[in-house]
Structures are given as C-alpha cells and as structure tokens.
C-alpha cells in the first residue's frame, strides 16, 4: 500500500503552494473551499462523502487519489469554461508521461483507460476569484462495488509499487502552468487531440431525453459540437451525460 507524503509532493513540484495532507475527510473540495489562500492543495487518503458531478457521489476508498486545488484564476468569469478542460489535460498529460498508459479524455472532464473511467473532475467556485478543482483518480483501487465494476477502472492493482506522490506533483504543476497562463488556451489543442469521443457516434442524455449524433468538434470554449438528425447541436457541460454508441 502506498502512502501520501507531503515532502515528496512539494519536493517534486515546481510551484510553491501550501499542501495539506489528510487521512480522512468528507470531501477535499469542501475543505479547500474554506481555506484562505490564493493557492493551496488538499490531498486525502480517503473521503467519506466524495462529491461527483450532477449531484452524484464519488467512490473514495483508500487506494485512490483525492485532491483539490484552490486556485486564484485570472479573469475568473471569462475563464470558467477552461478550468475543467485544463484539469483534464493536466491529469491526462501526467498519466501519459509517467506511465505511458493508453488514456483519453471523455468530454467534458473524465479520463478513461481502455473504455472505463479512471478519473473524474469536479470544479466549483470558492468565491468570485477562486476556483476549487477537485480531482479523483482510481490509482490503486481494485475492488469496486458491483454497480461501478462495469464502468470504473484503476490505473494499478492495489499492491502497486508506483508512487502516487509523483503523479500528484506532476498534475498540479501541469494545472498551474495552464491556469497561470490563461487566457492562453493553446492547451485546448491537446484536449482535442486526446479526446475519446471526437469523430465518433455518441449517445447524449439531456433533460431526460437521449438522442444520438456524431461528435464533430470541440469549440474554442470547450463546447461539444454534435451533428444530429435534427441538425447541429452545441453542448455546454451542464446536465449532460454522454457515451459512445456501440
Ligand atoms: C465526477 O466524476 O463526477 C467528478 C468526481 C470528482 C471527485 C473528486 S475527489 C476530490 C474532490 N473532492 C470531492 O468531493 N470530489 C472531487
């Protein structure tokens, strides 16, 4: 079993920000929102009330990585659409460069490995200038509850020798590099190049209705452009779920 180590995280990070390591917490996003810093990182070994998108929970046992970055975002209001996509790029890049695993980004902010989700991202605002970017990664979680088994994967088996502290440092460095460079959105090219659904047939569920279409583009604001029998649709994150059509 691996251990979270504050020195390993900070020593491997190019950016200097306060880091809080917790053993157990309801939600690292909730904890990070209450901090009074411009930038801070909160990482926990497990969460008792991990939050997911669309009011769902996030399964958060020991063995996963649960972290939240509190960050002052330049021109927060204009840059909101890019916070989520930048986190997806940061996680994807780090996993790819450290482990060379075959991961891809499923619009808008899930990371998939061989058809299953290994990471989810939940961004919230802390106040008008600060965002909380919550990242959950199934790092070494091999025992999922039945209802998740079909959809969730882990990067490694539970007895891995791989060190999550290095992955954490690299993700936060990647993420801060992008955020501190906004409004430069050139990272969106990487996002598109590594998309799971671009140029594929997809099923979209919105307002309790499911329809199909082809994902033809992701625009400069991160919106998904889908060609449907009813015409072109532009989807922004909101209450939408999307899956590949078999
Ligand atoms: C999703 O897949 O719906 C998003 C999941 C986000 C989970 C992370 S784990 C760390 C942070 N704290 C939370 O309560 N949620 C996010």
């Amino acid at each position: 079993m691996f251990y979270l180590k504050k020195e390993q995280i900070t020593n491997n990070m190019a950016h200097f920000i306060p880091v809080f390591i917790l053993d157990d917490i309801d939600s690292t996003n909730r904890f990070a929102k209450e901090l009074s810093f411009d930038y801070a990182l909160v990482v926990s070994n497990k969460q008792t009330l991990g939050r997911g998108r669309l009011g769902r929970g996030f399964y958060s046992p020991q063995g996963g990585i649960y972290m939240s970055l509190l960050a002052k975002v330049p021109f927060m209001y204009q840059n909101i659409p890019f916070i989520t996509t930048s986190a997806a790029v940061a996680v994807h890049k780090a996993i790819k460069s450290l482990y060379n695993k075959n991961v891809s980004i499923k619009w808008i902010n899930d990371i998939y490995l061989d058809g299953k989700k290994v990471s989810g991202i939940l961004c919230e605002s802390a106040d008008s200038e600060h965002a909380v970017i919550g990242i959950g990664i199934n790092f070494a979680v091999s025992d999922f509850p039945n209802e998740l088994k079909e959809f969730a994967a882990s990067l490694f088996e539970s007895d891995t020798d791989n060190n999550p502290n290095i992955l954490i440092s690299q993700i936060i460095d990647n993420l801060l590099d992008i955020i501190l460079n906004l409004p430069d959105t050139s990272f969106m090219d990487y996002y598109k190049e590594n998309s799971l659904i671009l140029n594929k047939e997809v099923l979209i569920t919105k307002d309790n209705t499911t329809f199909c279409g082809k994902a033809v583009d992701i625009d400069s604001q991160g919106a998904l452009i889908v060609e449907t029998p009813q015409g072109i649709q532009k989807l922004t994150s909101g209450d939408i779920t999307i899956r590949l059509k078999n």
Side-chain angles (χ1 to χ4, degrees), residues 11-163:
N11 290 350
N12 284 293
M13 247 165 67
H15 297 272
F16 296 101
I17 61 171
V19 175
F20 297 83
I21 304 288
L22 311 171
D23 183 45
D24 203 350
I25 190 77
D26 52 349
S27 155
T28 55
N29 267 26
R30 201 270 310 148
F31 186 95
K33 263 190 194 177
E34 291 171 10
L35 296 173
S36 304
F37 293 98
D38 276 343
Y39 300 90
L41 173 65
V42 181
V43 195
S44 183
N45 276 308
K46 45 193 185 297
Q47 296 182 119
T48 49
L49 272 176
R51 302 184 198 161
R53 281 184 64 233
L54 309 178
R56 299 184 186 127
F58 188 77
Y59 181 58
S60 308
Q62 175 106 28
I65 295 174
Y66 313 105
M67 61 181 173
S68 300
L69 177 71
L70 172 68
K72 183 168 181 176
V73 178
F75 311 105
M76 169 101 151
Y77 185 69
Q78 289 108 291
N79 284 324
I80 281 174
F82 301 115
I83 300 173
T84 295
T85 45
S86 64
V89 167
V91 174
H92 184 283
K93 258 191 184 168
I95 294 177
K96 196 82 197 161
S97 74
L98 284 171
Y99 314 120
N100 198 23
K101 295 232 178 212
N102 184 25
V103 277
S104 42
I105 301 172
K106 179 172 167 269
W107 189 88
I108 186 163
N109 56 357
D110 289 337
I111 306 296
Y112 268 57
L113 172 66
D114 301 330
K116 292 185 175 184
K117 176 164 165 173
V118 283
S119 171
I121 294 161
L122 176 67
C123 300
E124 302 181 83
S125 60
D127 59 39
S128 58
E129 292 187 303
H130 298 83
V132 168
I133 304 158
I135 300 173
I137 301 173
N138 301 324
F139 185 78
V141 178
S142 19
D143 202 14
F144 292 99
N146 283 340
E147 66 273 19
L148 290 182
K149 276 193 174 120
E150 200 186 325
F151 311 103
S154 179
L155 281 180
F156 302 106
E157 293 293 319
S158 51
D159 59 352
T160 183
D161 288 334
N162 288 284
N163 183 343

